[in-house]
Structures are given as C-alpha cells and as structure tokens.
Amino acid sequence: MKQFVREKIPFFCFEGISNGSRVQHAVFSRQGGTSQAPYDTLNLSLSVPDDKENVFANRTLAYATHGRSNDTLVHAHLVHGAEVAVVSHWNYGQYVGPVDGLVTNEPGCGLTMNYADCAPILLYDPVNQAIGLGHAGWQGVVKDLPGAMVRAMQREYGTDPAKLLAGVGPCIGPCCYEVGEPVISAVISSFEEPESLLLSPRRPDQSLDRRYFDLLEASRRRLAAGGVCHIETSDLCTSCRTDLFFSHRAERGRTGRFGALITL
Ligand SMILES: [Zn+2]
C-alpha cells in the first residue's frame, strides 16, 4: 500500500486498485482527527464511547478527502458474519445490515466501514464497474465472508473473479494475534492446512505453547479460493503499529476505529 496525505489526513491506497481505475478508495489511519485518548485521534466509530461530536467532526474531515460526507456514504452494522448486502445511493447515511459485506455497481455510490484489528477487504471489478467492501475478523474468515463477497458480485454483476482487483488492508498480524479456543478449533475445521495459519510464536517474550493466527493470509486464501488472482495485501500490523492504527487487542478494547472507504 502507498501512503498519501490530503487536507492533513493520512491514508493508504492499494496500487492495483488505484491504477488508472474509476474507483477512489482509502484506508485511513488514526491520525489527523480531533478525538481525545483513548480514541485519539481519527476515531470514525459511534459504537465506542467517544464524544459523538468528535466522531462526526472526524468523519467530516476524513470523508471530505474523497469528496464525501457522512450522508453520502453507505455504512454497515457490523456483526462478524458472512452476510453481504447489495446497496445504492438510497442507502446513503444508513447503517445497512447486520452485514459485514457491501457491494454496489451504481456509479458514484460510496461504501465505508470501520476497523480495529479486523481485516478491511476491498474489491473492484474493472470490467463490470462494481465494488465491494468487507470487514473480516477470525469469525468472518471462518464463515468465509471474503468468498461470500466474491459470490455476491458474480451473482449480481456477472463478475469474473479472475478479473477482480482485491486488497486486504491493515489488520492484526501473526506477530501479535495470540488465539486459544474456540478460534483454534474453528480454523482447524474450516481451513485446509490450518497449521500454516496457526503459527508458532515469533518473539522471545511469547510462550512456545501458544498459537498465533494469520488473519491476513486466511483472508487472502479465502479470496484465492473464490477465484481471485490479483490480491494486494498490507504489511502493517495494527497491534504493532498503534501509532498508525487502532488495535482492539493491543489497547485492551479501549480504543477507536479507523475507517476505509471505496467509491465508484
Ligand atoms: Zn504485530
């Protein structure tokens, strides 16, 4: 991913999705906003106990970098599931769902979601001009939300997965994502070669009998199993980089949410 700054708001873009395409997209960081600790500073979520005025001020700042406002984006009521909604500008300003995937082929339609360790999944079909945005944590990849997004675009827009441009954004890395039950059992029963997703510790301070889940690779594999060939991934761990991102795990739940948006 490449980093940009617009109106003093830093954000990241996938090079594949950006190249000469008719979509705009951004994965924001936690920098550039108005919220106080522990939501400092660009918290875009109303589901944490941050000051609502600050959240709306942050949304105005962030969304304006892409010519949008809170009322000209479709939001989602996220629940760690695998449901995908087909949306349009009729859903602007609404929280659609509960769903963890949004897709549209309406020109001009914009989608947004918020994250703190879960993986942002961005999809662009340059042939049929359609986009998708998703939110996948361990439950989302076990239930195959990434695959459900691809199938929704195939069904609704005739998308050829081989032509899709996909991005998996910053999420908690296997350096930090210690897991126990029920995650280990769920990964073993739903993935081939699960041992390659449940890794041994990498740091000397981590105990040898623990397992660390590779959420990014699990998301990538789900997209690949759905037929997606062009998958770009972030190499930033949200838990290692709390200077850049909010991390539910690293900050023990007392933190904000950074946003992603994609517009056609
Ligand atoms: Zn890490």
Side-chain angles (χ1 to χ4, degrees):
M1 302 189 84
K2 267 192 172 174
Q3 190 177 351
F4 299 85
V5 180
R6 210 178 275 169
E7 309 287 335
K8 297 180 183 165
I9 304 282
F11 59 90
F12 296 86
C13 290
F14 295 103
E15 291 176 61
I17 297 178
S18 301
N19 267 345
S21 81
R22 290 158 61 185
V23 298
Q24 287 203 350
H25 74 284
V27 176
F28 297 104
S29 76
R30 70 187 293 167
Q31 299 172 350
T34 60
S35 293
Q36 304 297 307
Y39 311 106
D40 50 318
T41 56
L42 194 68
N43 168 47
L44 297 178
S45 175
L46 293 165
S47 68
V48 296
D50 190 4
D51 182 300
K52 288 194 171 30
E53 272 184 33
N54 285 340
V55 177
F56 282 112
N58 291 340
R59 288 182 173 194
T60 299
L61 289 169
Y63 302 156
T65 60
H66 289 67
R68 298 283 160 160
S69 70
N70 187 63
D71 299 329
T72 56
L73 286 168
V74 182
H75 307 258
H77 174 208
L78 305 172
V79 287
H80 300 285
E83 298 297 320
V84 180
V86 179
V87 299
S88 73
H89 72 282
W90 294 107
N91 304 109
Y92 276 177
Q94 295 176 1
Y95 278 79
V96 175
V99 293
D100 287 84
L102 297 173
V103 296
T104 187
N105 70 340
E106 187 184 76
C109 191
L111 316 173
T112 191
M113 290 183 184
N114 300 320
Y115 308 84
D117 292 339
C118 287
I121 313 272
L122 285 77
L123 300 178
Y124 172 47
D125 175 351
V127 178
N128 299 288
Q129 297 301 325
I131 55 174
L133 181 64
H135 163 271
W138 73 267
Q139 296 181 80
V141 293
V142 162
K143 296 170 187 167
D144 195 15
L145 171 81
M149 293 173 63
V150 174
R151 288 188 291 276
M153 293 181 73
Q154 287 178 283
R155 183 183 68 235
E156 298 292 327
Y157 314 126
T159 293
D160 175 359
K163 301 276 170 58
L164 267 177
L165 303 175
V168 183
C171 60
I172 188 168
C175 38
C176 297
Y177 195 9
E178 181 185 326
V179 292
E181 294 298 342
V183 182
I184 291 174
S185 294
V187 171
I188 289 172
S189 62
S190 66
F191 280 93
E192 290 176 24
E193 301 180 32
E195 65 285 354
S196 59
L197 296 173
L198 294 164
L199 306 177
S200 300
R202 294 180 176 188
R203 300 199 310 252
D205 62 312
Q206 295 170 329
S207 96
L208 280 171
D209 59 347
R210 302 301 166 91
R211 284 296 165 265
Y212 294 81
F213 183 46
D214 194 341
L215 174 62
L216 186 86
E217 172 60 14
S219 304
R220 194 197 63 74
R221 277 193 211 173
R222 288 303 202 205
L223 289 170
V228 184
C229 306
H230 308 281
I231 306 168
E232 201 174 330
T233 55
S234 163
D235 57 3
L236 296 167
C237 166
T238 47
S239 176
C240 286
R241 295 301 306 271
T242 50
D243 58 320
L244 271 179
F245 301 105
F246 297 109
S247 171
H248 190 269
R249 176 66 66 100
E251 299 171 274
R252 298 172 189 275
R254 293 190 69 243
T255 191
R257 303 285 182 269
F258 61 91
L261 71 76
I262 182 164
T263 70
L264 192 55

